[in-house]
Amino acid sequence: MTGNSENLTRERSFPFYLFQLWENQKTGRLKVNTGSYEQQFCLVKGELTPITRYFPEKDFLDWLQETHRLEPPLRFNHQLIGAENINSLMAILIEQGFLPSREALELSRDFLVARLIDHFSLPGLRFSFEEEEFSEEDILIKGVFVPDLILQGFRKLGQIEVFSRLLPSEKQLIIRQVPAYFRKLSLKAPELYIWKLLQTPKTFKALLEQSWLGPAETKKTLLALTCLKLIQYSPNPET
């Protein structure tokens, strides 16, 4: 059953809103529009999940070839296409031995992750969320833990200008937080390094001066930690 459409706030960036959907355990469709085309991603209790009725099989096949999981040309057995017991492209790939079943299912999830994080830094991105329930039969494989997906997205960012307004001022203190999901996160060396530097609250200026990652990488890592609510900023201290 489909619920009322919910417009996303424009006050924060796309990954910040994605985290909000996860935090609120939303189930439904996240629609992302770049201006020239629209894509949609399904969430089940906040986790990015492949759902059969909305899964873009043609795009999935293109991605498999672009990422060299499959090498073209693919010679399909056309007797299988349209057969009564073959109802998806994935079934054909598995039936003809192009992919083992477990790998095919896991790749469906990897494909959605790669597709979603491509949108993280796009300017002028429009998005909306519509609540909708899915049956167990609709779910191809268990969904992705969205906080780790967000970390992946920030790590791959080349430019952070679109997020600059979300950084603190030089005099603001940065304070660590330890949410209940902290131990579930797959933090890597840069995130752990900045996390350790903030054992004692520091101003943004002091952190940039102390960090050995350099200003750009420090800012990018700080944004990831901020998005996941692992740090918060205090008001500017009185001078």
Side-chain angles (χ1 to χ4, degrees), residues 51-69:
I51 298 294
T52 53
R53 75 179 112 135
Y54 294 117
F55 190 74
E57 288 196 285
K58 183 183 181 303
D59 292 344
F60 177 53
L61 179 61
D62 291 342
W63 178 80
L64 288 172
Q65 295 178 89
E66 289 166 6
T67 55
H68 304 292
R69 268 78 170 186

Side-chain angles (χ1 to χ4, degrees), residues 160 167 193-194 197 204 207-225:
I160 61 168
L167 290 167
Y193 172 69
I194 295 298
L197 286 183
F204 185 40
L207 178 66
L208 290 175
E209 289 172 348
Q210 187 175 350
S211 173
W212 279 30
L213 298 183
E217 191 68 20
T218 299
K219 291 176 183 177
K220 183 169 72 172
T221 305
L222 198 65
L223 284 165
L225 298 179

